[in-house]
Amino acid sequence: MSERQPRLAPLVMVDSADSLKAPTFDFMLLVVSAIAAALASIEPTTNPASVADAALDPAVVFAVSLYLAMRASSGLASLASSGLLQLYLSYPLGRVGVALALYLSRILLPVLVLVGAPLIVAAAIVPHVIASAPLAYLEAYGAYVVYLTFLGTLFGLVGVATKNSGTSAVAGLAIYFLYEGVYLLLNVMATARGSYTLHKVAMAMTFYSVVSLKLSSPGVPVSAWQLLLVPGLLVALFIVYLVYMRWRFEPP
Amino acid sequence: MPLLRAKDVVKSFARRRVLDGVSLEVNEAEVVGIVGPNGAGKTTLIRVLLGLLRRDSGIVELMGRDPFRDPRARRGVGVVFERPVMPSGLTVVEFLEYAASILGVPASRVDWAIRASGLEGHEHKFFNQLSAGLKQRAALAHALLAKPRLVVADEPTSNLDPVERVRILDTISELARGEGVAFLLTSHVLHEIVRVADRVVVLYSGRVVASGSIDEVSSMIGRIVRIRTPIPDRLAEHLRASSFMAEVRGLSVIVRLGEGGAGELLRALADIVDSIQVYDIDFVEAGLEEVLGRVGEAA
């Protein structure tokens, strides 16, 4: 049999097999999220985006955020401290390729599964509502994925920078609650001052809220920057992650 | 062209120079041992040579390429790290099959690597279920998957019991002689390196303080004799008076033989055998401390 080029896809698979298992991956979170989505979807609505919101916001978003802060970040950190990352980097694959594979297996894939399962269950509960505008439902799903991937990327960056699972979990939680604190503060200030701009900034911080508003209330104006803030930050963080892994990361 | 060439490699961590102008080469089918005490910079050097760490300056060419910039340099290179690790969610054979797929080698290579490393019968266990020796064999099987021309092994015998150490070294020796695989090994135990290596590089405080063939290093150290006696201080004093280099270690006197060899020592002992009791005399394998001692004397 002839020799082939080294490949990244099996690395994604092998690391996914490691990351998508207990205790790294919390199947109870998946089951509870799906049940919560089923219960939350049993309410009269004709809008697919509202079904997605009912299924995910706030319980699933909160739970998945905490999961990412604690498990995804510490998963990447323990990958570094255990020596597995060093093993992966010893393959004849580029550092960017390895970083990309780990991003898929440790951040994107868990987000897709944890957000996807409740949405599939919700769609099964109210199929007629989803069938009326499936693309809008997918768009709402995508917004949650983008928001949670943004948080996951932030926590993942903390994980590879600290190289310590305990520190990264604590730092991830601290960053998450800081982000939520800023969101809350902006909302309070917006209400106190009657500032619509501050309210828009706060809403932009939770990207899925802006997308949901756009989908469910087409008459309400949504600014382009509101739609670009979190995706822009996600792209920026993703580039920082790749650059850090390419040039600065050294196995402990 | 050497499989691996390093020239004047310098690496610092937070202003502390860990590697200070290290140069070495590994040629086809050659076993090179890097020996040095803990903290000498062996692991850092291995990581720099593999391109896992950036170097501050110097040249590293692995298979003719710079491994930090070009991952293709690691094609045909197997790696055994000091602390072997594999994903805990897969059995060893499952992981090896994935690894073969990552490396782009046929799955049939997995069976060969398992046999060659002596892991047969344990490949269906999870990595964490293996003993330290079997973990090292699993890591060796992983390193052999790549059809390597060179295997880089960082302290492959550390954390192993003496029996398992010998077995691992024998396996390495068989692979080197039988398959023509070149090895770059590190250890802090000189006689382990001497057992398998063609050449030795002695690393101390980030510098290469001695290097050469096994014969060259052995002749540099000289032969070492240990004499056990109840009064080592008196014996050592007598031997020093007879121009021997004698050092007291516990209830033993360690003597480095000169050009006169063992006969000269026996003659010196014959003079005092009536006044100083001698329990035992044996030749011992030179340790790293003897090498470093000689280097210190030469300096």
Side-chain angles (χ1 to χ4, degrees), chain A residues 3-7 10-11 13-14 18 21 81 83 86-95 247 250-252, chain B residues 11 13 47 52-54 69 71 74-75 81 83 85 87-90 95 99 101-105 142 147:
Chain A
E3 295 286 312
R4 294 167 294 177
Q5 290 290 318
R7 297 186 305 159
L11 181 56
M13 288 165 70
V14 75
D18 201 39
K21 69 171 180 54
S81 60
Q86 181 172 249
L87 182 74
Y88 295 160
L89 288 171
S90 74
Y91 291 133
L93 303 166
R95 280 172 161 247
W247 289 109
E250 297 195 336
Chain B
K11 170 72 183 173
F13 289 118
R47 289 177 177 179
L52 302 178
L53 294 184
R54 61 167 59 239
R69 296 181 178 277
R74 289 188 289 273
R75 293 193 77 171
F81 290 109
R83 209 161 36 117
V85 64
S88 56
L90 300 167
F95 175 64
S101 186
I102 292 167
L103 293 164
V105 297
H142 180 264
K147 286 193 174 176

Side-chain angles (χ1 to χ4, degrees), chain B residues 181-207:
Chain B
V181 179
F183 274 85
L184 177 64
L185 308 169
T186 71
S187 178
H188 56 267
V189 183
L190 179 64
H191 66 82
E192 286 188 358
I193 291 292
V194 168
R195 192 185 177 102
V196 293
D198 302 307
R199 281 195 301 118
V200 180
V201 174
V202 182
L203 198 65
Y204 185 70
S205 294
R207 288 170 175 267

Side-chain angles (χ1 to χ4, degrees), chain B residues 215-228:
Chain B
D215 287 344
E216 286 168 340
V217 173
S218 297
S219 65
M220 184 179 87
I221 302 164
R223 302 191 76 185
I224 308 289
V225 172
R226 180 175 54 206
I227 306 166
R228 294 204 309 125

Side-chain angles (χ1 to χ4, degrees), chain B residues 36 38 42-43 80-82 136 153-159 185-189:
Chain B
N38 291 334
K42 301 186 295 293
T43 297
V80 177
F81 290 109
E82 182 181 359
Q136 205 61 261
D154 187 13
E155 308 247 9
T157 55
S158 66
N159 306 318
L185 308 169
T186 71
S187 178
H188 56 267
V189 183

Side-chain angles (χ1 to χ4, degrees), chain B residues 30-261:
Chain B
E30 184 184 35
V31 180
V32 176
I34 301 174
V35 66
N38 291 334
K42 301 186 295 293
T43 297
T44 301
L45 176 61
I46 291 292
R47 289 177 177 179
V48 168
L49 296 178
L50 290 168
L52 302 178
L53 294 184
R54 61 167 59 239
R55 59 191 182 275
D56 299 339
S57 63
I59 296 167
V60 176
E61 284 178 0
L62 183 61
M63 304 294 173
R65 301 172 195 271
D66 180 345
F68 189 79
R69 296 181 178 277
D70 188 347
R72 287 175 297 175
R74 289 188 289 273
R75 293 193 77 171
V77 178
V79 184
V80 177
F81 290 109
E82 182 181 359
R83 209 161 36 117
V85 64
M86 286 185 183
S88 56
L90 300 167
T91 63
V92 172
V93 71
E94 284 171 341
F95 175 64
L96 292 179
E97 283 165 0
Y98 273 118
S101 186
I102 292 167
L103 293 164
V105 297
S108 57
R109 183 79 185 165
V110 173
D111 290 336
W112 180 87
I114 287 170
R115 279 198 311 277
S117 61
L119 191 65
E120 281 169 304
H122 303 281
E123 67 269 33
H124 294 290
K125 293 177 182 170
F126 288 95
F127 186 72
N128 290 340
Q129 294 174 330
L130 300 179
S131 65
L134 289 172
K135 281 180 178 171
Q136 205 61 261
R137 288 185 180 280
L140 192 57
H142 180 264
L144 294 174
L145 283 176
K147 286 193 174 176
R149 291 164 67 196
L150 170 66
V151 171
V152 178
D154 187 13
E155 308 247 9
T157 55
S158 66
N159 306 318
L160 300 183
D161 63 49
V163 175
E164 202 55 54
R165 279 170 179 257
V166 171
R167 285 182 184 157
I168 289 286
L169 290 171
D170 286 347
T171 304
I172 288 173
S173 201
E174 283 164 21
L175 287 165
R177 312 297 169 220
E179 302 289 330
V181 179
F183 274 85
L184 177 64
L185 308 169
T186 71
S187 178
H188 56 267
V189 183
L190 179 64
H191 66 82
E192 286 188 358
I193 291 292
V194 168
R195 192 185 177 102
V196 293
D198 302 307
R199 281 195 301 118
V200 180
V201 174
V202 182
L203 198 65
Y204 185 70
S205 294
R207 288 170 175 267
V208 174
V209 292
S211 66
S213 67
I214 295 298
D215 287 344
E216 286 168 340
V217 173
S218 297
S219 65
M220 184 179 87
I221 302 164
R223 302 191 76 185
I224 308 289
V225 172
R226 180 175 54 206
I227 306 166
R228 294 204 309 125
T229 171
I231 40 176
D233 292 326
R234 224 179 112 198
L235 177 60
E237 199 177 318
H238 171 77
L239 291 171
R240 282 189 208 115
S242 305
S243 304
F244 283 96
M245 297 183 70
E247 180 190 336
V248 176
R249 284 190 201 162
L251 282 179
S252 297
V253 176
I254 304 295
V255 183
R256 192 182 300 145
L257 296 183
E259 288 178 1

Side-chain angles (χ1 to χ4, degrees), chain A residues 17-29:
Chain A
D18 201 39
S19 69
L20 295 181
K21 69 171 180 54
T24 312
F25 189 79
D26 200 333
F27 283 98
M28 283 309 292
L29 174 61

